[in-house]
Amino acid sequence: MIKWLLLIEWKKSLRSSIWQRNVFLNIFLGLFMVYMLLIFFVMGLMLSRAIGEGMEIEGADVIRVFGGGLLYYIGFDLVWRFFLQKMPEMSARPLLHMPIRKSRMAGFVLLRTLFSPLNLLPLLVVIPFFVTTYADFPGGAAWPWLVAILSLVLANNFITFMLKRYLADKTWVLILILVLLVILFFLERTGLISLFAVSQILFSVVLDYPLIALAFIALPVLFYMLDVKMVVNRLYLEDIDRRKSYQVNAGRMEGLRRFGEIGELLLVELKLMMRNKRTRTVLFMAPLLLLYGFFFYGTPMYQDKTGWLIFAGLFVTGGFLISYGQFLVAWESSYFDTILTKNINFSQYFKAKYLILLLPTVAAWLITIPYVFLGWNILKINTAAFLFNAGFNIYVYMYFAAYNSKRIDLSRSGMMNYQGVGAKQFLVALPVMVLPILIYLPFGFFFGEDVGLLVVGGIGLLGLLLRNLILKQIVMFFVTRKYQLASGFRQN
Amino acid sequence: MDTKFITDYNGPVIKVANLSKTYSSVKVLELPQLDIPRGETFGLVGNNGAGKTTFFRLILDLIRADSGEILSYGNNVAKSELWKNYTGSYLDEGFVIDFLTPEEYFDFVAALNGMSKGDVDNFKARFADIFNDEILGKKKYIRDLSKGNQKKVGIAAAMMSRPAILVLDEPFTNLDPSSQIRLKNMLRAERAERDVTMLISSHDLNHVTEVCNRIVVLEKGAVVHDMATNDSTLEVLEQYFAG
């Protein structure tokens, strides 16, 4: 039975059009993964020596210190699993009417989650560490200790499944997690409770009383059972088939209709963003890039590296532009024929698209003005980057949007979703991210930072002023491309 | 928009010349000449792959012809976008925006065509029978409606602005029997009431002969029959498709 299910899944992944079309991307992702695995492995090998020499301790103390870091690791593991781990999509629909027990289907799905490379990562750190310190463990505690850690990793795997499958759409869960993280961070910062100490105690207990490890084993078992129950309860057509509907009251937005055709188009686009899973992920993720500034602007290391800071500025003010703009037209692939046959004026259509990209970019700039507290030059850099985004990059994305003829399924989540992504997307990133820095560098080098920033910002300003002219060119290009777009979008 | 050129126009509403379309070296459509006069209800029949949808897509400038041209009220559809002002169309689900509610979608189409609130109310009243209380006021997105009801939304949106040309691809498929009959009556009423040229494809020979006054049969992209509808049309068609 399991053999057959595996065979079906294997064929499905082999024959999926995404795989066939995106060999390049898959190779790229594969190499990246191998690279990460290697880094982790080397880290695992070096860790015991690094801790021992760094803290001038040896023997079992090294293991105890390592234990102090483990809860952090388990925590981060959970976070990046949430963003990165792909949950197996079992096409349950054609199997429902066949003689397969539901719990077996659920078990099969959960079994497949184990094959994620993200389950390999922690092993690559823990096992080399375990091997290199094996001799230092207190008598009989080594294996129980390992079992305890692996149990937590396994539990993470099943918790992620639960979070991603069934709880991710519930906003309160995300808020709860966020609040929890903030509280932990606060406790740690103020020194009230140190997670490090807690973690150290927790794993030391296992070292001192190895039998406690049995309690750890209970965790993955518990979550596994919860997962099975969740899956079984939802193996109904109405749960599988129903694309999630987001009831969004458009009441206040309807005011846009006063602005004629452009208003109508904007209204449809706003509804598009808010009522579809994939675009909602973009809306949710884009504001996170606003925080990107803390990493770069706030780090002393980058303070005098204006080139890097421009790069950061482009991300900070262009989060929405980058993530939404690359599929500007493709978002509408499922109803593109409507756009082409209804009485829509293409120049109005692109003006609406322009506003959709411009307004959030302006908003991002306004919101990030407070970064000025990190330094006056930060505001200058951020503003120059904003102008370049608004007056140059925006057109690059609009232009490329007319190139992107891959259909997008709006009902799939956008996290780690590479549908519709091709080599072209990487090509766009080049002028958009690198060009402003290349422009800045010579001017900054010869005439000083201010002149360099003025040139970068000036180009953006010029683009803003010439918008009508440029938009006209983009529309003309779009008209020549519309047949390719329409036929590309029609292919599933 | 200025409808004067439509009123003043004399000549075939749709004029096809030397039209051909090839997909990977298979000729899917070849129409050396085809005129559709004003006020005609033009029925297109043919088995799958005969080229019906391809023809309609060419009329709506959704795909590029390999050769030839289609004139709509005298203007080449691939060169001028004038046709969008007076052409209503529904070919498939790609013609509706499925994350809108039916009301929102109708309002959108109405705004694009410059219809007033009164026009929209009027339209809703006209379609009340066909909608059968399953479309309006349900607070559901179009994607959450049944296939048949989604189709009704698309067809209604195509007809709502009372366009001078109406293009419908298999409008009866997926509709329940009552809706099929109501739609049929509605199309016939349209024809009787006002100046409209309709292009309708169908697999249902009964419906298409009842609604249309001219039937064209396509086979492998070429016209094999072109006849005015009369008492024996259905018989001729049945014979053709049986053989």
Side-chain angles (χ1 to χ4, degrees):
Chain A
M1 170 87 71
I2 291 281
K3 191 186 80 187
W4 280 103
L5 289 174
L6 274 173
L7 194 70
I8 290 173
E9 285 303 313
W10 173 246
K11 284 185 177 156
K12 186 181 143 203
S13 55
L14 261 173
R15 295 174 187 176
S16 100
S17 53
I18 297 273
W19 172 257
Q20 284 167 349
R21 275 183 222 157
N22 259 342
V23 181
F24 171 80
L25 187 73
N26 278 301
I27 291 173
F28 176 78
L29 286 175
L31 285 176
F32 181 71
M33 209 63 223
V34 169
Y35 173 72
M36 288 300 289
L37 292 177
L38 260 172
I39 287 189
F40 269 72
F41 182 67
V42 172
M43 211 165 86
L45 277 179
M46 315 279 281
L47 209 55
S48 65
R49 248 181 68 194
I51 295 175
E53 283 170 13
M55 302 187 68
E56 295 177 355
I57 47 176
E58 55 183 23
D61 285 341
V62 173
I63 302 168
R64 285 174 207 275
V65 169
F66 181 78
L70 273 173
L71 273 193
Y72 293 99
Y73 180 80
I74 299 285
F76 281 118
D77 184 58
L78 194 60
V79 172
W80 70 57
R81 272 172 193 273
F82 182 75
F83 287 110
L84 297 178
Q85 190 165 3
K86 272 217 146 172
M87 283 302 144
E89 295 267 340
M90 191 174 58
S91 22
R93 194 170 209 254
L95 298 178
L96 279 183
H97 65 106
M98 294 196 176
I100 303 173
R101 278 207 322 277
K102 287 187 171 182
S103 59
R104 178 157 269 186
M105 278 196 237
F108 175 69
V109 171
L110 288 167
L111 183 77
R112 286 193 52 219
T113 63
L114 295 181
F115 291 104
S116 163
L118 285 160
N119 283 321
L120 210 60
L121 276 184
L123 298 189
L124 281 175
V125 182
V126 173
I127 289 179
F129 179 83
F130 178 73
V131 171
T132 50
T133 56
Y134 186 74
D136 299 330
F137 276 92
W143 289 103
W145 183 85
L146 187 66
V147 166
I149 294 174
L150 297 188
S151 300
L152 287 182
V153 171
L154 211 56
N156 261 0
N157 183 64
F158 294 132
I159 293 173
T160 312
F161 182 84
M162 194 180 289
L163 284 176
K164 286 199 82 150
R165 253 313 154 72
Y166 300 119
L167 300 177
D169 286 329
K170 298 196 170 58
T171 326
W172 64 266
V173 176
L174 289 172
I175 292 173
L176 192 78
I177 293 173
L178 222 64
V179 169
L180 219 69
L181 283 176
V182 169
I183 291 176
L184 275 178
F185 180 76
F186 183 75
L187 288 176
E188 180 91 35
R189 260 296 158 92
T190 53
L192 279 174
I193 297 174
S194 155
L195 194 63
F196 187 86
V198 172
S199 178
Q200 196 162 356
I201 293 167
L202 188 71
F203 289 97
S204 291
V205 168
V206 182
L207 287 181
D208 300 332
Y209 310 95
L211 275 182
I212 300 280
L214 289 176
F216 283 80
I217 298 178
L219 269 177
V221 174
L222 176 74
F223 282 108
Y224 177 84
M225 286 183 342
L226 282 173
D227 281 350
V228 168
K229 215 172 152 197
M230 266 183 152
V231 175
V232 169
N233 281 338
R234 295 185 190 225
L235 274 179
Y236 288 93
L237 271 189
E238 49 198 344
D239 301 319
I240 299 168
D241 250 10
R242 245 184 95 87
R243 290 186 281 171
K244 191 161 166 48
S245 267
Y246 298 97
Q247 283 300 335
V248 174
N249 193 352
R252 206 172 295 166
M253 302 190 302
E254 298 286 342
L256 276 171
R257 312 196 63 193
R258 277 178 301 151
F259 299 103
E261 191 173 344
I262 281 210
E264 294 288 342
L265 291 166
L266 285 174
L267 186 63
V268 168
E269 187 111 19
L270 285 177
K271 288 172 182 166
L272 162 81
M273 283 185 220
M274 288 192 289
R275 292 178 183 178
N276 293 291
K277 201 168 179 183
R278 177 104 188 240
T279 42
R280 275 170 73 101
T281 332
V282 168
L283 282 190
F284 181 74
M285 299 295 284
L288 291 182
L289 281 175
L290 293 175
L291 301 174
Y292 201 69
F294 278 114
F295 294 112
F296 274 87
Y297 293 160
T299 312
M301 195 176 98
Y302 294 109
Q303 268 321 305
D304 47 351
K305 299 196 177 67
T306 308
W308 278 111
L309 292 181
I310 291 178
F311 190 66
L314 291 168
F315 268 111
V316 170
T317 58
F320 181 81
L321 176 64
I322 295 164
S323 41
Y324 193 80
Q326 57 179 329
F327 301 118
L328 195 59
V329 177
W331 293 126
E332 301 190 285
S333 49
S334 68
Y335 59 94
F336 194 61
D337 285 349
T338 318
I339 303 293
L340 291 184
T341 54
K342 292 279 181 285
N343 197 3
I344 294 172
N345 180 316
F346 287 141
S347 74
Q348 297 284 308
Y349 177 69
F350 267 90
K351 227 167 238 169
K353 294 275 177 214
Y354 177 69
L355 288 175
I356 283 284
L357 292 181
L358 183 69
L359 296 178
T361 309
V362 174
W365 174 64
L366 291 174
I367 293 169
T368 52
I369 283 182
Y371 277 129
V372 72
F373 290 116
L374 296 172
W376 187 238
N377 68 321
I378 298 293
L379 181 67
K380 286 193 273 186
I381 292 166
N382 207 39
T383 305
F386 153 70
L387 285 172
F388 196 83
N389 268 333
F392 187 89
N393 285 345
I394 215 169
Y395 304 121
V396 176
Y397 275 113
M398 291 178 81
Y399 187 81
F400 269 90
Y403 249 113
N404 194 354
S405 58
K406 289 206 169 106
R407 186 185 172 93
I408 287 194
D409 182 355
L410 290 168
S411 61
R412 300 253 176 103
S413 166
M415 287 189 192
M416 285 286 120
N417 186 342
Y418 293 102
Q419 185 197 22
V421 177
K424 283 170 198 157
Q425 270 63 50
F426 291 98
L427 280 178
V428 189
L430 227 59
V432 162
M433 292 294 138
V434 179
L435 193 66
I437 298 168
L438 289 184
I439 293 170
Y440 167 80
L441 283 178
F443 287 100
F445 185 76
F446 288 114
F447 305 106
E449 189 186 297
D450 282 354
V451 177
L453 289 178
L454 226 65
V455 172
V456 172
I459 291 175
L461 206 60
L462 194 70
L464 274 172
L465 292 175
L466 295 177
R467 64 178 175 277
N468 287 332
L469 201 74
I470 302 172
L471 285 180
K472 218 172 175 175
Q473 297 297 318
I474 292 174
V475 171
M476 275 162 64
F477 175 65
F478 170 78
V479 170
T480 65
R481 284 281 307 169
K482 65 177 185 181
Y483 302 103
Q484 277 102 313
L485 287 175
S487 91
F489 292 159
R490 259 180 237 127
Q491 275 152 29
N492 274 310
Chain B
M1 73 143 223
D2 185 12
T3 50
K4 195 168 173 334
F5 88 96
I6 289 187
T7 344
D8 291 351
Y9 182 81
N10 293 309
V13 166
I14 299 280
K15 191 172 174 58
V16 177
N18 299 322
L19 191 69
S20 76
K21 178 74 186 170
T22 308
Y23 280 122
S24 46
S25 77
V26 178
K27 207 152 234 173
V28 290
L29 193 68
E30 181 150 40
L31 297 176
Q33 209 226 336
L34 185 75
D35 288 356
I36 301 176
R38 185 175 208 133
E40 185 165 85
T41 306
F42 176 89
L44 198 57
V45 294
N47 288 326
N48 291 332
K52 303 185 297 293
T53 307
T54 305
F55 181 42
F56 283 174
R57 282 187 175 151
L58 283 164
I59 292 177
L60 298 171
D61 193 34
L62 288 171
I63 51 179
R64 207 187 267 113
D66 291 324
S67 74
E69 58 179 20
I70 298 176
L71 303 184
S72 166
Y73 278 97
N75 294 301
N76 186 337
V77 293
K79 299 220 165 86
S80 144
E81 290 183 50
L82 217 52
W83 60 271
K84 289 185 184 174
N85 292 308
Y86 57 79
T87 306
S89 56
Y90 181 79
L91 302 193
D92 52 47
E93 58 275 20
F95 280 62
V96 292
I97 304 179
D98 67 356
F99 53 80
L100 300 180
T101 63
E103 281 93 341
E104 287 172 340
Y105 182 56
F106 292 142
D107 285 345
F108 175 64
V109 176
L112 293 178
N113 289 299
M115 292 168 68
S116 70
K117 174 104 179 36
D119 293 337
V120 177
D121 291 341
N122 215 331
F123 152 78
K124 285 177 182 165
R126 258 198 310 148
F127 275 83
D129 258 3
I130 288 186
F131 287 165
N132 197 25
D133 284 333
E134 288 167 15
I135 309 271
L136 298 174
K138 287 285 170 256
K139 294 198 169 129
K140 267 187 181 177
Y141 297 140
I142 296 174
R143 65 183 174 205
D144 297 328
L145 299 175
S146 72
K147 277 263 179 308
N149 282 335
Q150 287 182 8
K151 188 154 204 171
K152 287 186 200 170
V153 171
I155 294 173
M159 296 175 71
M160 75 182 291
S161 65
R162 310 215 114 175
I165 297 179
L166 181 63
V167 184
L168 299 175
D169 195 11
E170 295 185 29
F172 303 108
T173 323
N174 277 336
L175 295 190
D176 57 72
S178 297
S179 302
Q180 289 185 24
I181 292 165
R182 284 172 189 156
L183 178 64
K184 203 159 63 186
N185 292 336
M186 178 146 222
L187 292 171
R188 285 153 92 178
E190 282 279 291
R191 190 174 95 190
E193 274 167 28
R194 62 190 193 90
D195 177 19
V196 57
T197 308
M198 297 194 269
L199 288 75
I200 295 168
S201 80
S202 180
H203 283 314
D204 190 312
L205 302 175
N206 278 308
H207 288 328
V208 82
T209 41
E210 274 178 64
V211 173
C212 300
N213 48 21
R214 176 186 176 191
I215 307 273
V216 162
V217 182
L218 283 182
E219 186 178 312
K220 291 185 180 139
V223 174
V224 289
H225 278 288
D226 186 347
M227 51 195 155
T229 319
N230 56 36
D231 292 345
S232 63
T233 309
L234 187 59
E235 215 173 306
V236 175
L237 288 175
E238 274 173 354
Q239 232 158 37
Y240 164 78
F241 283 105

